[in-house]
Amino acid sequence: FFFQAEDGIRDAQESRGLGDVYKRQTQWYMGGLDRCSTLGFYFDLAQQTKEVTAGKVCYFQFKSTYKHSSGKIRLRVTTVARKFSDPNNIFDLVPGFDQEAACVLMARLGIFKANQEESIEVLKWLDRSLIRIVSKFADYKKDDPGSFRLSKEFNLYPQFMFHLRRGHFLQTFGVSPDESVYFRGTLCRENTTNSLVMIQPALLQYSLDDPTPIPVHLDIDSLKNNVILLLDTYFHVIIWHGDHIQKWKEQGYHNQPEYENLKLLLDAPQEDAKLIIEDRFPVPKLVITYPGEGLERLLKSRVNPSNTNANNMTVQSGNYITCLLYTSPSPRDS
């Protein structure tokens, strides 16, 4: 597989010409791509360029040459047009801001910096970047936290950054060097959807009242005694049984005909986990756990420790100290 990308900056009037002072050519070689592989390109403009190109249209052209499984060499050309925003009116950027893609690109850039700098410095850089974005695009009154508002194009971005700084991509605490390289390498090649699952895992709840899975907050308050949770971190698929559910299972109620609804509840997350595992490569590890069991730490290390005083066996059970070691300012506290 040979990947060649050629990019140039030309406005609408100059697009017919081939000689442009901004034009440059770069080539990359890759061993192969699958249907989930993505590449990120970062473009930074000098200050004088920003002033010249304001309001104009920019064209990027990517030429991909690859060998198909049939043995034929194919060329695919992709051309993208984007309009330069006015540097004096940054709110022109708001309608086109993709907070999910921005989160993944920031994560990849953070990983690049983490390979050269200390983790604490990378976290400080990430915090400063978030503060700059919020200060420019948020609507608020000074010294009045209750007035803070973010538009729908930015409202999820802070929580993405919250989970990114708590994960294993920028920090190496609690993981081996091999695991750290594996986690980072996977994030830098997967698509946006899969990368967001790595950064902010998806948590689903199953209950006797509603066996249909519903998404719940990635928070310790979601760990209830009478529910089953399914956590997808991309690398692990974790099925967690609440304290009551686990005791009913140990007593064998699900094997009795009159408790068929309990059996259906136990089977539902298993079936969903199979669908996730079958569609993913590398195959994630399936973990089934319950309060106080050792592998429960994989779940508790990913939830937000907003409440440690609840009268709940799931909160009081062991291994929760693992989660506290990763404690960062909660989005609920801001």
Side-chain angles (χ1 to χ4, degrees):
F1 179 89
F2 180 77
F3 181 79
Q4 177 182 0
E6 178 180 320
D7 64 272
I9 300 176
R10 296 191 289 270
D11 61 36
Q13 296 178 349
E14 297 173 331
S15 60
R16 293 189 299 272
L18 297 178
D20 193 306
V21 294
Y22 298 115
K23 187 178 180 181
R24 61 191 183 278
Q25 181 172 336
T26 310
Q27 295 182 355
W28 295 269
Y29 175 84
M30 300 189 66
L33 293 174
D34 57 45
R35 61 187 177 89
C36 292
S37 299
T38 58
L39 300 174
F41 295 87
Y42 298 78
F43 299 93
D44 191 13
L45 300 180
Q47 185 61 37
Q48 60 270 24
T49 305
K50 295 179 181 180
E51 297 174 355
V52 173
T53 57
K56 296 183 178 181
V57 177
C58 170
Y59 295 90
F60 299 97
Q61 188 173 83
F62 301 92
K63 298 180 180 179
S64 305
T65 305
Y66 63 95
K67 187 174 183 179
H68 190 258
S69 58
S70 63
K72 297 180 179 180
I73 302 297
R74 295 185 177 182
L75 171 65
R76 180 174 181 176
V77 180
T78 305
T79 304
V80 181
R82 291 292 184 269
K83 183 180 179 181
F84 282 103
S85 63
D86 185 352
N88 298 319
N89 184 13
I90 61 172
F91 288 96
D92 284 347
L93 296 171
V94 173
F97 183 75
D98 187 336
Q99 54 190 334
E100 296 181 347
C103 170
V104 176
L105 289 171
M106 285 295 291
R108 294 186 180 187
L109 185 57
I111 289 174
F112 174 77
K113 295 175 69 68
N115 291 328
Q116 306 176 46
E117 305 175 20
E118 294 292 335
S119 297
I120 186 63
E121 297 301 324
V122 179
L123 294 179
K124 290 180 180 178
W125 163 81
L126 191 67
D127 292 341
R128 290 193 298 268
S129 301
L130 177 59
I131 292 172
R132 284 197 300 268
I133 290 180
V134 170
S135 62
K136 288 183 178 181
F137 294 99
D139 182 17
Y140 60 92
K141 295 179 181 179
K142 188 176 181 180
D143 299 325
D144 184 6
S147 66
F148 182 84
R149 297 290 186 275
L150 272 174
S151 64
K152 63 180 181 179
E153 291 83 4
F154 290 87
N155 61 353
L156 297 178
Y157 187 77
Q159 77 179 46
F160 289 153
M161 294 297 102
F162 169 76
H163 290 286
L164 174 61
R165 75 189 311 279
R166 296 179 72 240
H168 296 307
F169 303 106
L170 305 184
Q171 303 186 68
T172 57
F173 179 83
V175 295
S176 68
D178 290 343
E179 288 176 317
S180 180
V181 171
Y182 171 63
F183 293 154
R184 292 175 175 180
T186 305
L187 178 62
C188 288
R189 66 177 293 277
E190 283 294 327
N191 60 31
T192 300
T193 301
N194 289 339
S195 297
L196 285 176
V197 171
M198 301 179 207
I199 296 171
Q200 181 176 329
L203 185 62
L204 299 177
Q205 173 184 289
Y206 303 77
S207 66
L208 289 172
D209 297 331
D210 187 4
T212 304
I214 58 174
V216 293
H217 292 294
L218 197 62
D219 192 276
I220 189 65
D221 285 338
S222 298
L223 277 67
K224 301 175 183 178
N225 292 325
N226 59 345
V227 302
I228 297 178
L229 298 178
L230 174 64
L231 180 71
D232 180 13
T233 69
Y234 188 85
F235 304 104
H236 295 89
V237 177
I238 304 168
I239 298 176
W240 179 87
H241 297 156
D243 186 51
H244 293 170
I245 302 293
Q246 180 62 24
K247 289 180 179 178
W248 293 338
K249 179 182 177 182
E250 291 174 353
Q251 293 173 10
Y253 284 115
H254 61 291
N255 295 322
Q256 301 179 21
E258 59 269 28
Y259 294 104
E260 185 179 359
N261 58 336
L262 177 60
K263 184 178 186 303
L264 295 176
L265 176 65
L266 293 171
D267 291 342
Q270 295 269 11
E271 296 298 325
D272 291 342
K274 289 180 180 178
L275 293 177
I276 295 174
I277 293 174
E278 289 175 358
D279 190 51
R280 186 169 297 166
F281 181 83
V283 178
K285 181 179 180 181
L286 176 62
V287 176
I288 301 177
T289 185
Y290 52 87
E293 199 266 340
L295 292 176
E296 188 192 20
R297 68 184 186 276
L298 297 174
L299 170 64
K300 287 191 171 180
S301 66
R302 301 308 299 266
V303 297
N304 176 36
S306 64
N307 183 5
T308 59
N309 298 315
N311 185 18
N312 188 330
M313 177 59 183
T314 62
V315 174
Q316 299 171 358
S317 63
N319 302 315
Y320 191 59
I321 187 64
T322 306
C323 184
L324 297 181
L325 290 173
Y326 290 92
T327 299
S328 301
S330 168
R332 296 187 176 187
D333 299 331
S334 60

